[in-house]
Amino acid sequence: MSPNKSVPRVISIERKTKGGIVICDAKKYLSHPGFPMAVILDKPTKGGGAAHFFADREAFVQLGITGLTDEMWLPQIVCKLYFETPSVVLGLSLTGSTGQMGGECRVLAFGEPAKLVGRASKN
């Protein structure tokens, strides 16, 4: 990369159909279509977390409406809370002071403005 070019905020690494990989700027993920492309469940005590990738909204919603599990709770919570999110959502499970389980979610917008639209509450 020449010194005049700026470093891309997001890159895409994809497999070629005939072998090898292609690495390119992925600006499209800075302006997102409204579902998370990746949901990462952080497990710092185990050296990282599982990342779940979704090719389209249907795949995300299908997983989002399934039952909660220890490994897959975050997509279900994000699907219920948000109509639109940036490309990446991170989650960390937390244990409360009385032992109850909770969670903390963060969205990653790669330093650019990105929509985070909550679903209407059903009160």
Side-chain angles (χ1 to χ4, degrees):
M1 180 178 291
S2 73
N4 298 7
K5 290 198 169 194
S6 62
V7 176
R9 290 186 186 272
V10 183
I11 62 167
S12 171
I13 303 172
E14 299 177 5
R15 292 185 189 276
K16 291 182 183 177
T17 53
K18 296 184 179 182
I21 61 172
V22 175
I23 302 173
C24 58
D25 192 339
K27 290 179 185 175
K28 62 186 177 183
Y29 296 117
L30 296 176
S31 175
H32 196 268
F35 62 92
M37 298 292 275
V39 174
I40 302 169
L41 184 59
D42 188 20
K43 291 186 177 176
T45 58
K46 296 183 181 178
H52 305 280
F53 295 89
F54 305 99
D56 52 40
R57 182 182 291 276
E58 291 75 29
F60 170 67
V61 170
Q62 191 59 42
L63 186 60
I65 60 177
T66 62
L68 296 171
T69 68
D70 288 345
E71 297 297 316
M72 293 299 294
W73 58 269
L74 187 58
Q76 289 83 355
I77 291 172
V78 171
C79 186
K80 289 174 186 168
L81 293 179
Y82 300 107
F83 178 73
E84 190 169 344
T85 76
S87 294
V88 179
V89 178
L90 310 155
L92 176 63
S93 59
L94 303 170
T95 303
S97 58
T98 58
Q100 79 277 15
M101 290 302 295
E104 176 182 309
C105 296
R106 295 182 183 196
V107 292
L108 183 61
F110 303 105
E112 293 287 330
K115 288 185 180 178
L116 180 62
V117 180
R119 293 192 183 276
S121 98
K122 296 180 181 180
N123 290 343

